[in-house]
Amino acid sequence: AVIHGFQTVFPIPLGQAAAFDPERVRQAAAHSAREAGAAGVNWTFSPMLDVARDPRWGRIAESFGEDPLLISRLGVAMVQGYQQDGVAACAKHFVGYGAAEGGRDYSATDLAPRALLDTYLPPFLAAQQAGVMTVMSAFNDLDGVPATGHEDLIRGTLNEQWGFDGLVVSDWCSVTQMIAHGFCENAAAAARAAVSAGVDMEMASTSYLDHIAGLIEQGLLDIALVDDAVRRILRIKARLGLFQHPYGAPGRTQPQRPAATQLARSLARDSCVLLKNEQGLPLGEHARRVAVIGPLADAPGEQLGCWVFDGERQHSQTVFAALQERLGPQRVVHARGLEHCRSHDLSGLDAAVALARSAEVVVLCLGEDAGLSGEAHCRAHLDLPGAQQTLLEAVAATGVPVVLVIMAGRPLVLGPV
């Protein structure tokens, strides 16, 4: 899947949202589509249009945040970017997945009709009006009815009321997970419920393959519903030109990287949020020696985000490497302090404090590793993980000015910081 880049990795969607620039989001999606298309990929499970208002939820990193208008604008931009370069976009997760109780992935949701209509559905309507080719049903239930089996929302609102003529795909095994929801007795019942609801394609699980023919023979499923699903799938394949070029359009080559790298850099730069600046920034001639400290100061893999398959960590420029390049290697020194973000091992603390004392300014890089965000990665507490608070206090106690850089896939509680 192309979530926030293919070979060129762009900021996570939550970061792109912080740049407030639909045109650059469109450009990033278009470049990702060109890279993916050259590798034979013609469908991506993006953009994620869930309205996410509980930062404990691990997948908030994949979202555009909490505002339906911003999500709609950026979602449309991403749909247009992907599809202008021949990759089908997929608006997900339909619908209400971001409202899971307590931020617990796959959990139930309790949405009043007004909240559903005013807050959670508008981004999907905007994507439909922008011509999105595919939609993905969600894992969660809505007031007791799993989204993957919700006929009123998929066949009713999406298909009939809004006029969506593309295909609806289930999320990974979300058809058979309706058994765990207590909504379906077995896989056959799950297949029947999903097809009836308007889910045209099943992802990963095999209840359609195993049971649709039998359900039709038993008179439990109308073959007209299956014909409709097949027609929708074939329609999208035709729109993508897959009958003419099933392995991708001839002559597609990988685009040049430098322009995309500059675009990724500009999005990353504008995604940064300066919370407070009482001293120290910008770093100038007064910073004759800069100590770059922290488990994320020189961790290129962690900077790529939680949904990256083809990104290469050696192309990810860290804070330490960037400052060395800008200020010169003689002026910039480095210590991790903690081996990784979640570590409680303080054996590197003294070396970090000593390095801080030797410098005019400290750039301290703290936050979350990439593995703390993503599917099934909810957190109960949103403070700095591991012993990072201890590291911060020890470095601050030296009296050397500290510039704190927080890298994370969600908002963190930074009161003590």
Side-chain angles (χ1 to χ4, degrees), residues 48-122:
M48 191 178 110
L49 302 181
D50 294 301
V51 177
R53 293 180 171 177
D54 192 328
R56 294 173 296 182
W57 190 43
R59 300 192 75 169
I60 197 170
E62 301 170 54
S63 78
F64 291 125
E66 63 182 354
D67 182 73
L69 178 61
L70 181 62
I71 296 167
S72 298
R73 297 279 175 85
L74 298 184
V76 165
M78 197 169 273
V79 167
Q80 293 171 338
Y82 288 138
Q83 295 188 173
Q84 77 181 46
D85 279 280
V87 171
C90 185
K92 66 180 188 184
H93 306 82
F94 193 78
V95 61
Y97 185 39
E101 292 179 353
R104 296 186 297 272
D105 222 346
Y106 318 127
S107 189
T109 59
D110 184 11
L111 293 177
R114 179 175 177 180
L116 186 64
L117 291 169
D118 285 356
T119 301
Y120 292 89
L121 281 173

Side-chain angles (χ1 to χ4, degrees), residues 170 175-176 187-192 194-195 199-218 221 226 229-230 233:
S170 77
V175 173
T176 53
R192 180 187 180 191
V195 173
V199 176
D200 306 304
M201 181 184 292
E202 179 180 17
M203 188 198 300
S205 51
T206 61
S207 68
Y208 282 18
L209 179 66
D210 297 338
H211 299 290
I212 281 181
L215 289 167
I216 293 171
E217 291 170 1
Q218 297 169 54
L221 186 65
V226 179
V230 172
I233 294 168

